[in-house]
Amino acid sequence: MKKGFTFLELIEYHTNMKKIIQNIVITAFCLASIIAVVRYAEAQTCTVFVASSGSDTNPGTITQPFKTIQKAADTVKAGDVVCVRKGTYPAFDIRNKAGTASNPIVFQPYQGEKVTIDRYLGGGNGLRAIEFYGGSYLTIDGFEVTDSDPNIDLYGYCNPRTDSACSSKINSLGFRSRNAIKVNASAAGAAVHHLVFKNLEIHHNIGMAILVPASIHHDIQILSNRIYANGG
């Protein structure tokens, strides 16, 4: 068994180790560069920004974001991608906004950050976390949608269709029609179409997770969502 190294072997060993370390550094640099490029590309796809630290008098840029998703929803046009920074936001509605097949309107968290829409914080019409009035080619992607109203525990998720006392309780607590997401026709009665709800976590809402009540609506996709502990 060899007990030591010759001088030349030691030189060769240190040379090889130096090369290994250099390769590791280069690889780490390359990975960091790739991550930076991916994040830059993702940021470039965002056209409207929202952050809890922003202001609705801002222009909605990454350095001067809007404060509410409602402001973004009021200003979007076909092809816009609304990127929301991490935080918890009030409800919002989307009225008569139309993307196209090649340029949909998208609402999503910024770079996978955790974004929660909480009906209890107000906003919208006070009944739903997200509501549509007309519109087409719209995508809601990656949000948590919930209702933190502490009175929900008094409700107990009973079924008003089979329990008359439950129906009375819902009315007394003001819970009637409080669905997480609802789709409505436009004021003129036009159908809503080509909506996509994906990667959402919808939970602890009094009513249905996603309610599309009118048969005229079409091409609505509900994809890869986690839905639990909602009423109906």
Side-chain angles (χ1 to χ4, degrees):
M1 180 180 292
K2 190 171 183 178
K3 295 183 178 180
F5 294 95
T6 66
F7 179 71
L8 291 177
E9 286 174 333
L10 285 173
I11 292 176
E12 182 179 4
Y13 172 78
H14 285 292
T15 301
N16 290 335
M17 288 300 297
K18 184 177 180 181
K19 289 180 179 179
I20 291 171
I21 293 171
Q22 287 175 337
N23 289 334
I24 291 172
V25 171
I26 292 170
T27 301
F29 176 78
C30 290
L31 287 173
S33 299
I34 291 170
I35 292 171
V37 168
V38 169
R39 288 183 174 175
Y40 176 78
E42 184 178 18
Q44 290 300 99
T45 65
C46 301
T47 57
V48 180
F49 294 84
V50 178
S52 57
S53 60
S55 169
D56 283 347
T57 61
N58 284 343
T61 62
I62 190 168
T63 55
Q64 293 182 289
F66 294 135
K67 184 175 182 63
T68 65
I69 303 174
Q70 185 63 66
K71 178 64 176 179
D74 291 341
T75 61
V76 291
K77 60 186 183 303
D80 275 336
V81 178
V82 178
C83 291
V84 185
R85 301 304 305 265
K86 65 180 179 180
T88 302
Y89 294 83
F92 64 97
D93 53 49
I94 303 172
R95 296 176 179 267
N96 302 309
K97 295 295 182 179
T100 66
S102 57
N103 289 292
I105 297 170
V106 179
F107 293 79
Q108 66 183 30
Y110 177 74
Q111 295 186 359
E113 294 181 348
K114 178 67 177 293
V115 175
T116 300
I117 315 301
D118 186 349
R119 187 218 62 84
Y120 190 58
L121 297 183
N125 68 359
L127 293 176
R128 291 115 199 169
I130 304 172
E131 188 149 15
F132 293 83
Y133 296 90
S136 59
Y137 294 100
L138 295 153
T139 296
I140 306 294
D141 181 6
F143 296 143
E144 177 186 27
V145 184
T146 192
D147 188 340
S148 64
D149 186 342
N151 286 323
I152 288 178
D153 289 337
L154 298 176
Y155 171 53
Y157 299 103
C158 57
N159 188 342
R161 295 180 178 84
T162 58
D163 183 351
S164 59
C166 175
S167 183
S168 297
K169 188 187 296 185
I170 289 173
N171 288 329
S172 67
L173 292 171
F175 287 168
R176 181 68 66 186
S177 301
R178 272 173 44 179
N179 304 292
I181 300 172
K182 186 180 179 184
V183 177
N184 304 284
S186 69
V192 179
H193 59 92
H194 291 95
L195 301 188
V196 178
F197 301 102
K198 64 179 183 178
N199 304 314
L200 302 174
E201 182 178 2
I202 308 174
H203 65 95
H204 292 94
N205 296 279
I206 284 296
M208 297 180 183
I210 301 174
L211 177 60
V212 187
S215 60
I216 61 171
H217 305 316
H218 60 89
D219 291 288
I220 295 176
Q221 298 183 68
I222 300 174
L223 308 171
S224 301
N225 302 290
R226 184 167 181 246
I227 299 174
Y228 59 96
N230 299 285

